[in-house]
Structures are given as C-alpha cells and as structure tokens.
Amino acid sequence: QDMRKHVIMTLLDTEQSYVESLRTLMQGYMKPLKQPENSLLCDPSLVDEIFDQIPELLEHHEQFLEQIHDCVQNWHEKQKVGDLLVQSFSKDVLVNIYSAYIDNFLNAKDAVRIAKEARPAFMKFLEQSMRENKEKQALSDLMIKPVQRIPRYELLVKDLLKHTPEDHPDHPFLIDAQRNIKQVAERINKGMKSAEEVERNARIVQEIESHIEGMEDLQAPLRRFLRQEMVVEVKAVGGKKDRSFFLFTDLLVCTTLKRKSGSLRRSSMSLYTAASVIDTASKYKLLWKLPLEDVDIVKGASQATNRESIQKSISRLDEDLSTLGQVSKLSESLSFPHQSLDDVIKDLMAAIHRELSEKQSLSFSMAFPPNKMELSTTKADGTESFIFEFPNPDARLSFEQAFEDAKKKLASSKNCLDPEFLKAIPIMKTRSGMQFSCASPSHGSPGSSHEVWVCNSDGYVGQVCLLSIRKEPTVEACIAVCSARILCIASVPGLKRVYSCFFPPFPSLPSPPGGRERAEPVGSPSSELVPVQPEDAGPQPCLHISISGSSLELSEPVEGGNRDQASHSTISSSFGNEEIQSCKETTVETTSSEEEQEPGFMPITGTYRQNRHGESPTDGRALRRSSRGSFTRGSLEDLLSLDPEAHQSSMWLGTEDGCIHVYQSSDNIRNRKNSMKMQHAAAVMCILYLDNQVFVSLANGELVVYQREAGRFWDPQNSKSLSLGSPGSPITKMVAVAGKLWCGCQNRIIVLNTTTLAQEHTLQVGQDSGRSVTCMVSTGTGVWVALQSSAQVRLYHATSYEQLAEADITPPVHKMLAGSDAIIRQHKAACLRITALLACKDLLWIGTSAGVVLTLSMSAKAAPTLVGLSQGHTGHVRFLTAIELPDGFDVLFPLP
C-alpha cells in the first residue's frame, strides 16, 4: 500500500508539473501574444498555429489533476485510481486533441522559426518570457511536453500494476487503463512518425530542387524522392556524357553532372538535409523531367522490330493471364461441381506463365550489354529514345526494379484517385466583396431542369447566378434578387402529374381494384432507397464541378461507380475571405431535396394536413403571385380543381433578414418576379423539402413547417411552428434520413417524425455543447456529421444511432499542403475545420477551411482512407452540390 501511494503521489506531482507547463504556455506565451498591443511581435495566424490545441489540453488535464488530488486527499486501502484513468483516456475527445497536436507539432515548430526570422522582437519576447516563468523553460521545451506526456502515463500505470494485488478492486480498472493508454500512445506515435515522414519528404524534395539549376515547381502533394543514379548517356553524335537520374514517385528527372565541390543554392527553410540521399558535392543542371506515365524502359534486342514483337507477345500473355483470372473468379460462383474446369484453367495458367517467363528472359538477354538501358518517351511529334550506361549490371537491374515498382504503384493509385478536374467557370461579380454562400440544382420543366442556382452575397445584396448544364456548363444570367445575404437555398418539386382514369379526388378514397397502390410520400422508407430514373436510362457520363475563388471548376469522377444510376455532377465553392464564426455563418451550405428524394414531382395522393386556423409566422404579410400576375389565395373549394402551378417545381431562397423568396422557374427570376415572399422574425438558417412539406429553421430557434393542400400550390398561411431551439442555439442543419427529419441543434441531433412532428430521439455528437452541427449528409444506412470548427467527421447509424466510424481530415490536408510555401501552409493549417459535406454516388466529398477538397470511398471493404483532390482552392470551400446530367451532355466539351 505504501508503494501504491508512492506511485500515486508521483502521478500527482508529475501531473501538477505538466499542468503548470501548459499554464505557462497559455499565460506566459499565448495570451500575451494575443493582445492587440503585441500584434507586431508575431503574425496572428502563426500564433494560432503555434498554440493549437493547448487550451483544450489544459482544460482536460486541469480536471484530471483535480480528480487525482481528491483521490490522494481521501486515500484508503481500497482506494481506486484506475477508474479515473479509464474515464480520462477512453474519451474520443482526448485522443482527437492529442492527435491534432501531434499532427500539427512540426508545423508549430516551423511557425516559431518563421516568426523568429521575420521579427527580431519576437525573439526578445521569447527570452523575456523564459526568464519570467518559474521553471525558466524555453518555448520549445514547453511545446514538447504533450508529446512526452503519454509515455509517462504508461510507465506510471505499469508501476501501479506491479504493486496492486489481483484481488484489489483497482486491478481490473488499471488493466483497462493500461490498454486504453497504450492505444492512445500507439496512435500518437503513428501520427508523429507519419507527420515527420511527410515533413521529411517535403523538405528533401525542396532541398533537391535547390541543388538543380533551372529546376522549378518540383514540389507537389504526395510526391516523394526515391533514389538518385549516376549514369552515362550514350549519344549517336557527341559521344558519352555524364548524367544523373532523380527518380520520384511520379516523375523522372535527368540532369547534367559536374563532379565538383559545393552546391548552387541552399534552402534557408530546410529542416532536413538532402545530403543523406543525394550527392550534394556535385553540380546539376536540368535537361528534362518527364512524368513516369510517359516514360518506358525498352527491353530486349537492339533492333526495334524484335523488341516490339517480344513486347507485344508479353502484353498478349499478360492479357491472357488477366482473362483467365476473371474466368477463375467466375467459376467460383458455380454451384454445380466444376473440378474439371478448375483443372483446365490451372493448366492453362501454368503454360502461359512458362511462356511468359521465357519471353521475359529473352527480352532481358538480347543484344544490349547488361549494363545498358534504353528509355523511350512518347511526345506529340513522335517517340524519342535515350540510351544510358550504368556502372555495372547490378546498378541497372536495381534502378529498373525501382522504376517499374514506382510505375505500378502510380498506375494502381490512379485507379482510385480523385475525380478528374475539367474546367473553371468564372462567375461575374456585380459588386466587390461578393462571396459564394450556397447552391442547388433545379428540378423543373425540361427547359430549366438542368440548371444550378449559385448564390452569392456581400451582406447588402443577394445575387443568383443561373448555371446551365445542358450541353456544356454555361453561366446564363447573374441577377440581384434581394437586399440581404442569401444563407440557404432548396429545390422543391411540384406535384406529380397522374394520367389515370381512376384518379381519386381525395386522399381518403381507396385505390381502384386492380389499380396501383396509393402513392407513398416521397422520402418514406419504402420509396427513399429506390433510384428514380426513366426505364430506358442507360449509362450516362458524369462530371464533378468545384468553385474556386470566383469561378467554378468541373471534374470527371472516377470510374467504377454504378453506371445504372442517374449520373451526377458535383459542385464545390470557395472564396478567399475568412469565414466569420457565428451561428449564421454555419448555415452557408446547400440543403437540397435532390440528396434525399425523387427529383421531380410529388404524388397528389400523399398525406397532407390543414392548419388554416393555426397561427401563421408570416402575420398576414405573405402574398402569392400566380403565373398570370394576379394575387390569389387557396381555399377549400379549390381542392376539387387542380392549379396548374401546383405541378411546377420551385426554388426557395432564405435570407439573413428573415425573408423566403419562392420562384417557380428560371423564367420568373430572369424577370425578377418571385411567386411568393414570406417574412419571418429571424434569419432563415436552412430549408429542406421532405414528405410534401417544407421545413424552415429560423435563427430564433423556431422550426416552421409549410404544408401543401391537394392540387394546390404552396399556401403561406398553411403552416405550423414549433420551438426546437433558442435564439442562442437554433437548428443549424437539417437532413432527411429514412423518412425522418434529423435536426442539428448545438451538438445535439433531434430526430422528428414528419407526420406528427413529435421528437422520436435525441443524439449527442461530441462533448462540447459550444460546437454546433454545421454539416450533415445521409448515405443509405448512415449519416455523416461534422461540428463547428472541427476537423473530425463522424458516421452514425440511421436507425440505431450508434457511432460507426470517425475520420480526421488533418493528416491528409497536411499532406496536400506539404509542398506549399511555409507561410501559406501555416495559414491554411491554422484552425483547420470541415466546411462542407456531400454524398454523391459512392463518394463522400469533404470541403475544408484550407481549400482542400477530400473524398472518402463509402463502398470500400477495407478501412476507407481520405484522398485529397489535386485541385485546391485559395479560400474556404463554402458548399458542395450535385446535379443529374442531361442526356447528350458532352463530357468532351471545349476546354479553355
């Protein structure tokens, strides 16, 4: 017991010291640098980068220290401490905080170095702060403390277990604590190694670039240096010349070589040296650099015809092997005994392998000396060949192996790489300071069903740009529609036209004998998962569009998706200005019915309710304009007649001044005529169509539900209102999930029954109630959720509400930014967060505050990994949306 208490006292003392170090970082360094009068000492973005996650770490460990202190104060023979350790180290929040700190650690060190070089006064501040803190610890010594702390916990728990009998009540808790801490330590170590590896690779590439005269733009996301090889180029004219190969994961560089001491340039920003991987004592000048995809090693006889013949034979044998592999896989699905077929396939594959081995041996042993290698590259004006001599045959074989391995890995990664970028589409700015806010495809008449409405605002004017996706993306109009910021937009389908002699005039009437069953409301479980498309719909091309700055970008998705479903385009938006952290800012994202239910029309026989005598949130100020220009109101008598406008889809725009503008078609907005305008008491946060109703959340916490009578257009007086939130915590995001409405309010998700409007379940996301739900998308049986200012996205089950997965965007974003300038990298990595989500086909698209767009495969059987798109944005990705492509859309439209 004395030894147990001694170890606990050691834990208390070391935890007190650790908390004091974190407090010194906060009180002695971070807070003074945050003061306005000290803004000249260090750039604010660098301050955020240096002290990222420190406040969160301090808050957690202050609570843990208090618990340990209470444990020591109330010490007795059966006292437990393992339960405190389990409670502390089993929290996802703590793991995420430490992971984020580790991922950012090298960036934080780099930020300190940059600040020192940029402003000498910052160096003096650090020296003064070190003298003033009690332990006289330098900033770098304090920053390493969190990295070193977790292994210390492992040792303390190990010592505790040594002195804790197995029958002691604390023993099982200590076993659990040891396992939890070990998992945290392994994750942190893995993150540290990964971050160091990425940083090391980026620095080496940067260093190599500085050593090659004439080399530019060598740094690129995910590019790694593999090896250098000294060779001699054999030229038909001019004899032999010394050359140097630099092989990268996606690039081959050839330079001249002068074996002299010294180097041309040194990078002042290098943390790592390239001396360990290249010969820095020689001078290099760029001759050419070629993508690995465009370079091949010519193997075989010196006669081109012989080499070509052998290569063709090898290619045919490779194809035969591939075909037999497919046949073998198909045979496994046979239920009838097929041993004889398997034997035949096996014999054939063995024979082909023997023939392939002979051909490959022949190609390697032909006319070329064993130390020579021929490279060929295909250019626009034909094929060019180079012949190189290696010091010995082993060096040639080693380089060829590394070259071929790199090509195979590159080809393999290309099969699952990001969708191909196609085009940037400029959007005209009618005023300076315009920022993209939201977008939605329209679901209307044939003339307007392939349009995307892109909204942008400057705080004073709301503008809509009509982007046509008929034959090729074209901006048809940019129209100012209101005098406020447009926060959200939703496409609302019209009523479905039913051509039947058994058309029931009221929903209460039964379906005719032998006729079709009564139509289910769109979005119900029975109809939601069925893709709606024409019966003869065949394979259609796809595009993906992303907006960068004040332009749109188009990209083609990866192959392998379900070609039987309707194709989609994806649009993301970005703008260079920083986002303002407020409840209104968090709603800047598309909420379109296209993601959840049938794009088109609603069945007239769907469920509906009347609320003619209920209190209207519009206070009688709402008016509706018919297509003929007269103002009309619906009445019960109108139920017997069909309003032609009811079949038209509409676009609902919600603004910061509490107004909803409803347009029936693109023709209306071109004429600046809205068919309906509804004024509310607070800003419109988001709009969602589901189950023949339109749900509108307001900044004061209200949820307004607009309902449509049978055969009529929307009536602003036919609505209900309920309070789910408060002015400080409104509903910030809504999404349809399995026929239910999920509403994000603070860090809670409220699940509503759309018929009774009753709350069926409440789900908590994370521990911080100060972070509200900002992004939420439904994907089949799961829902992806991201919180405000968070770099994590979580997957929840649609019916059991269990958390299924979690992904952190920090590592892949840092990888994509590794090749950027240090200042840009620090700026973009600071306060990294998820700003937009979209589920399209089998991909989850993630927009980030760094301007990097990530994709995550939702159909992968193995653990899914986040992949960064090579086309980034200068500012935050403000929205992502998708559109179904029309028949005849030309993927190969003229590019700029």
Side-chain angles (χ1 to χ4, degrees), residues 425-531:
I425 306 171
I427 296 291
M428 182 180 65
K429 286 186 180 182
T430 56
R431 296 164 60 95
S432 61
M434 299 290 277
Q435 295 182 7
F436 291 117
S437 57
C438 51
S440 174
S442 62
H443 302 137
S445 61
S448 63
S449 59
H450 300 296
E451 289 183 333
V452 181
W453 291 38
V454 181
C455 303
N456 51 17
S457 309
D458 63 352
Y460 302 98
V461 172
Q463 176 180 279
V464 172
C465 297
L466 296 179
L467 178 66
S468 172
I469 313 286
R470 291 188 184 89
K471 295 182 179 180
E472 63 177 88
T474 306
V475 178
E476 293 196 339
C478 289
I479 303 151
V481 297
C482 59
S483 299
R485 189 187 304 275
I486 302 173
L487 299 182
C488 53
I489 183 172
S491 178
V492 177
L495 289 175
K496 186 176 182 180
R497 295 183 185 272
V498 180
Y499 299 98
S500 172
C501 58
F502 296 107
F503 182 77
F506 293 97
S508 59
L509 295 181
S511 298
R516 295 178 61 182
E517 291 294 320
R518 196 176 96 171
E520 289 285 330
V522 171
S524 67
S526 62
S527 63
E528 184 179 15
L529 300 179
V530 180

Side-chain angles (χ1 to χ4, degrees), residues 551-602:
S551 65
L552 295 169
E553 299 175 357
L554 289 150
S555 57
E556 190 170 10
V558 294
E559 297 180 2
N562 188 347
R563 305 294 293 175
D564 295 330
Q565 296 184 6
S567 56
H568 287 75
S569 303
T570 302
I571 302 181
S572 69
S573 95
S574 170
F575 203 84
N577 296 345
E578 289 291 330
E579 293 178 350
I580 300 171
Q581 293 300 312
S582 68
C583 62
K584 294 179 181 178
E585 183 272 333
T586 62
T587 67
V588 181
E589 186 182 3
T590 299
T591 303
S592 171
S593 60
E594 180 270 337
E595 295 178 21
E596 294 87 19
Q597 58 272 328
E598 172 182 345
F601 304 101
M602 287 296 303

Side-chain angles (χ1 to χ4, degrees), residues 21 24-25 29 112 116 126-127 129-131 133 135-145:
S21 296
T24 302
L25 277 171
Y29 289 91
V112 173
K116 287 179 180 179
L126 295 184
E127 293 172 353
S129 298
M130 182 180 69
R131 289 194 297 269
N133 72 66
E135 299 296 329
K136 303 294 186 289
Q137 296 184 89
L139 177 60
S140 58
D141 297 330
L142 293 169
M143 289 171 63
I144 198 68
K145 296 285 187 180

Side-chain angles (χ1 to χ4, degrees), residues 208-268:
I208 291 172
E209 180 178 338
S210 71
H211 278 77
I212 301 175
E213 183 182 348
M215 175 62 75
E216 294 179 352
D217 302 325
L218 184 60
Q219 296 180 80
L222 308 181
R223 176 174 292 163
R224 291 187 298 110
F225 173 72
L226 298 178
R227 63 186 291 158
Q228 180 189 20
E229 201 70 47
M230 302 295 189
V231 294
V232 174
E233 183 177 4
V234 181
K235 302 176 73 69
V237 179
K240 298 181 178 182
K241 301 288 185 179
D242 286 340
R243 299 288 185 249
S244 177
F245 281 150
F246 295 88
L247 180 62
F248 298 85
T249 49
D250 62 336
L251 192 71
L252 180 63
V253 175
C254 182
T255 69
T256 62
L257 172 63
K258 289 185 179 180
R259 300 179 185 274
K260 293 183 180 180
S261 60
S263 60
L264 291 177
R265 290 174 282 147
R266 292 278 182 181
S267 173
S268 61

